[in-house]
Each structure stands twice: as C-alpha cells, then as structure tokens.
C-alpha cells in the first residue's frame, strides 16, 4: 500500500504515512455510489428546499466531510460535484430578508397612518381626561360631539320660544277689548251656549282665542294677536281641530246635506286654506229618489270627484284627526285664561284687568307711546285712537259715526263742545301729535 500523497510505501496496520503524516483512511474514504443520485436529471426534491424558509433542508453531502484526494484542488469535489448547490442555499435567506424588510415597511407605514388618522381622537381623549366637565366616557362624548349643532339649534329655539308673560297678558286683554267692542257680548255672562278657549295654533307662544258662539248663525271666531293689534277670522259653525304649535287646523262645516272640510294655517294673523273637500247632495232640495231611497252623497277633494273611502283617505293624509290637540271651552274669557295659565309655569298668578272697554290705545292719557305701538294700527284705528283722547274729556262729537262709536263706551259722557290743548296733559298732547304724524305719512 502506498501513500496517496507522497507515494511512500505504507506498512500494513499503519494509519499514517511515516514520511508525510497523511492519514491512511483518507486514501480509502471515497464518496460512495449513492451520492450519484442527485445527478439524475429529475432531481424532484432539490428545488423544494428554498420554498420552506422555516426549515430549509441541507443536502446530505455536507454531513460527511470529504477531504480532497491527492491531485485535486481544494475547490473541486469528487464524483458528481455538489458545489453548484451552494447558491441555492443562499436563495431562501435572501427571500426571508426581503420579506422581513417588506413587513417592516408595511408595519411602519400602517403605524404612521394610524397615528395620523387618530391624532384628533387622541387629542380629544386627552381633553376628556383633562376636563372633568366633559362626558366621562367615550360613548357619551361622541354622542355630545355628534349632536352639538342640534343642541345649539334646540337651545336657540327654546330661548326664542320662552313664554313672555307680559306679551301673553297684553294679547289676552286685547282679545277682551275686541270682544267687548266688536261682538257686543258680555265676557262675564257665562252663557252655556258660548265658549272660550285659548289655544296655541301657530309656532309662537302667544295664544289664539277660539270663540264658539253656540249659535249657528253667529258661527265661530278665531282671534290672533301680533304687532299690537288683533286679527279676526270668522269661521262657519261646525268643528274646529288643531295641532298645537304646528300651525295646522281642520275646519269642518255645513248643514242641510252640504258639508265640507278645510285644512288651514295662519299667515300674518290671517287664516288661509291649504286644501278643501266637499261632500253632500248637489241638490239638497231632493234627498230621496223616485223610489223613496236616500240619494247617496257625492264626494270631491280639491274639485276631484271620488268615493267616500278616497275622500276620508285624502283628509287623513292632510290632517291626522287622531293627533289633534284636545281643548276645552269655558263660559267666560276669565275662566279660559285661568285654565290656560294653570298649565304654564311662567304665567302663574296672572289675572286679567277689568278691561279697557275696547279702547284702541288705553294708555294714551297716562304714558308716552312709541311709533312701534302706533304704526301697526289701521287708518280707522288711528282716527279712533286720536279721538279717544278728546272723548275722555267729554267732547261732544259732531260726526255721527264717532258719536255712535263713543256713546257705546260705558265710560263716555258728552259734556263739552270744545277741548283745547290747555285741557290736555303732556302725554295726551305728545301722543295725539304722534298719531297725527303717522296719519299724515300715509296720505
């Protein structure tokens, strides 16, 4: 046996060359025939190694270190040369590194986006913690933020809708004067067939006066008050329903087989119809046909003929009778006012005065009036208001209309034929001149 490195003869049993010291085992430890299998063209399992980064497989060849044989360079492997597999071992590491970098970039980018998008929320949370007056939990705070505009609007509406006791009292006393002067009724008679009710039809807090005469020929009356004056609306006898503070009313009227319904609203104190329906007989002088059977009613809504069922449906669409605000009428206006005040805390304790006997400007002799109090009056009201000043001094009017008007006043008594400025006080002179100024501006 000879040394494969130096060629010296080796005695049997020696494990090393006595000349060069090379191990004898290296001369016989050649690669077995089995490693030739990877040379097979198919090599199905080799490409799968890079696909599984978590547990990359290492070829079997490196498990048995093979020292180069004599005459071979250090970079040359025996047999089928496994050295080309080395680049394949590096591929999984590169892919893993790239994947890690991508994940880090995405994570950093996502974190940055999250911080930017939620910056305001985090600042709000800090505000919650710093301010004890703010809601204690996130749900309540978010609800408060979302309803901020609604809350502001509601508070504004509530402030605007606050009941002003002076305005309400002025309106009801104006109704009282109107009824005394124009309707020729005693507000204290307590007649069982007439009734008063103060109702809130439109959006403001000044009530309207509903009066049912109780007599079909007299009908009903709805008085409104604005700009210091009363607006009257005469209604046919029938039914009156309204939706409180929604400015919507239903007036039902008719008799002798001719009836109707009118859905209305108030505009500047005047009653305006929105939609109308009618039903009954086109000829109410003939109720029965030739056979003695009742002639059926005819129905129409806004001029369109329809069945009774369709009519009722149209009416319900325009006014929900089941949602109408209930009200009660009283025999006197004073009782109606007391009942109205009982339901409004701001009006507790208010009482009507004895009445101004229908004077247009009842305080024109005791205080200075303003242009705002006078301008809303009509030309006729201005004329009567100016002469009220002279009537209080007992002036005998030559004009028949004025004389009849003031003679109807319980306080008026004609005693003199002339009233000079020296007979008037400072309030009366100033108010008379202001009324005359407004009258002249309208000519």
């Amino acid at each position: 046996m000879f040394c494969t490195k130096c060629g010296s003869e080796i005695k049997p049993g020696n494990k090393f060359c006595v000349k060069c010291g090379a191990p004898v085992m290296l001369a016989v430890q050649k690669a077995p025939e089995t490693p030739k299998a990877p040379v097979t063209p198919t090599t199905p399992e080799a490409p799968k190694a890079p696909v599984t980064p978590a547990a990359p497989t290492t070829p079997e060849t490196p498990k048995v270190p093979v020292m180069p044989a004599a005459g071979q360079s250090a970079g040359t492997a025996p047999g089928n040369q496994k050295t080309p597999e080395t680049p394949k071992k590096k591929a999984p590491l590169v892919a893993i590194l790239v994947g890690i970098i991508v994940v880090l970039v995405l994570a950093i980018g996502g974190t940055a986006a999250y911080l930017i998008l939620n910056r305001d929320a985090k600042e709000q949370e800090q505000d919650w913690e710093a301010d004890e007056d703010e809601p204690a939990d996130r749900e309540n705070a978010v609800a408060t933020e979302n309803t901020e505009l609604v809350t502001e609007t509601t508070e504004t509406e509530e402030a605007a809708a606050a009941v002003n006791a002076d305005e309400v009292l002025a309106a009801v006393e104006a109704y009282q004067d109107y009824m005394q002067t124009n309707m020729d009724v005693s507000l204290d008679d307590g007649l069982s067939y007439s009734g008063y009710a103060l109702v809130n039809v439109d959006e403001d807090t000044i009530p309207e006066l509903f009066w049912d005469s109780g007599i079909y020929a007299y009908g009903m009356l709805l008085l409104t008050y604005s700009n210091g004056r009363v607006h009257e609306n005469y209604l046919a006898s029938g039914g009156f329903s309204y939706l409180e503070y929604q400015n919507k009313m239903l007036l039902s009227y008719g008799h002798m087989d001719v009836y109707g319904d009118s859905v209305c609203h108030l505009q500047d104190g005047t009653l305006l119809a929105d939609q109308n329906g009618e039903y009954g007989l086109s000829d109410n002088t003939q109720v029965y046909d030739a056979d003695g059977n009742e002639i059926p009613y005819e129905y129409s809504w806004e001029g369109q003929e329809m069945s009774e069922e369709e009519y009722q449906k149209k009416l319900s669409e325009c006014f929900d009778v089941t949602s109408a605000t209930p009200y009660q009428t009283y025999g006197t206006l004073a009782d109606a006012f007391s009942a109205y005040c009982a339901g409004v805390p701001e009006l507790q304790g208010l009482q009507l005065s004895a009445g101004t006997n229908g004077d247009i400007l009842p305080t024109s002799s005791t205080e200075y009036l303003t242009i705002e109090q006078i301008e809303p009056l009509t030309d006729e009201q201005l004329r009567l208001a100016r002469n009220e000043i002279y009537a209080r001094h007992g002036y005998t009017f030559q004009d028949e209309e004025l004389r009849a008007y003031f003679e109807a006043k319980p306080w008026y008594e004609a005693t003199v034929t002339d009233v000079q400025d020296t007979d008037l006080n400072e309030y009366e002179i100033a108010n008379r001149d202001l009324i005359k100024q407004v009258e002249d501006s309208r000519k």
Side-chain angles (χ1 to χ4, degrees), residues 142-260:
V142 171
T144 302
E145 180 179 356
N146 291 341
T147 59
E148 182 178 0
L149 293 178
V150 177
T151 302
E152 291 178 355
T153 303
T154 303
E155 291 175 351
T156 302
E157 292 174 350
E158 289 178 352
V163 176
N164 186 311
D166 293 336
E167 291 180 353
V168 172
L169 184 60
V172 177
E173 289 187 340
Y175 296 151
Q176 176 178 251
D177 294 341
Y178 178 92
M179 297 297 292
Q180 287 177 330
T181 303
N182 298 279
M183 300 308 295
D184 192 25
V185 296
S186 172
L187 299 183
D188 300 321
D189 58 16
L191 296 177
S192 60
Y193 55 79
S194 66
Y196 300 85
L198 290 169
V199 296
N200 290 103
V201 175
D202 57 13
E203 295 88 348
D204 62 35
T205 57
I206 298 177
E208 289 74 40
L209 173 62
F210 170 73
W211 178 64
D212 186 354
S213 69
I215 301 175
Y216 184 83
Y218 286 3
M220 304 182 297
L221 184 67
L222 183 68
L223 299 182
T224 66
Y225 182 83
S226 63
N227 298 324
R229 61 166 295 194
V230 173
H231 307 268
E232 64 277 355
N233 298 277
Y234 293 95
L235 314 176
S237 293
F240 171 78
S241 302
Y242 75 101
L243 300 178
E244 190 172 45
Y245 293 117
Q246 297 184 39
N247 198 10
K248 181 174 285 190
M249 293 164 284
L250 173 63
L251 307 178
S252 302
Y253 53 88
H255 73 299
M256 296 180 63
D257 299 300
V258 178
Y259 305 95

Side-chain angles (χ1 to χ4, degrees), residues 4-134:
T4 57
K5 185 175 182 181
C6 63
S8 300
E9 183 177 2
I10 299 175
K11 294 181 179 181
N14 290 349
K15 295 182 178 180
F16 296 93
C17 177
V18 295
K19 294 285 186 179
C20 65
V24 175
M25 293 299 293
L26 291 178
V28 296
Q29 191 172 354
K30 294 183 179 180
E33 294 296 327
T34 53
K36 292 182 179 180
V39 181
T40 305
T42 56
T43 60
E45 296 298 327
K48 292 185 178 181
V51 179
T52 310
T57 57
T58 306
E60 293 295 327
T61 304
K63 291 182 179 180
V64 182
V66 180
M67 298 298 295
Q72 290 181 327
S73 64
T76 303
N80 53 1
Q81 296 183 353
K82 287 292 183 175
T83 51
E85 293 296 325
T86 304
K88 293 183 180 180
K89 296 178 183 179
K90 296 179 181 181
L93 297 176
V94 174
I96 292 172
L97 290 176
V98 172
I100 292 174
I101 293 173
V102 171
V103 171
L104 290 174
V105 170
L106 292 176
I108 294 172
T111 303
Y114 174 83
L115 293 175
I116 293 173
L117 293 175
N118 291 274
R119 180 181 56 192
D120 294 338
K122 290 182 178 297
E123 292 176 354
Q124 183 64 55
E125 290 176 355
Q126 293 174 357
D127 292 340
W128 297 335
E129 296 175 356
D131 191 351
E132 295 180 355
D133 292 334
E134 292 297 321

Side-chain angles (χ1 to χ4, degrees), residues 293-305:
N293 299 318
E294 289 188 356
I295 300 175
Y297 282 174
E298 298 174 357
Y299 293 82
S300 66
W301 190 269
E302 289 292 296
Q304 181 181 355
E305 295 184 359

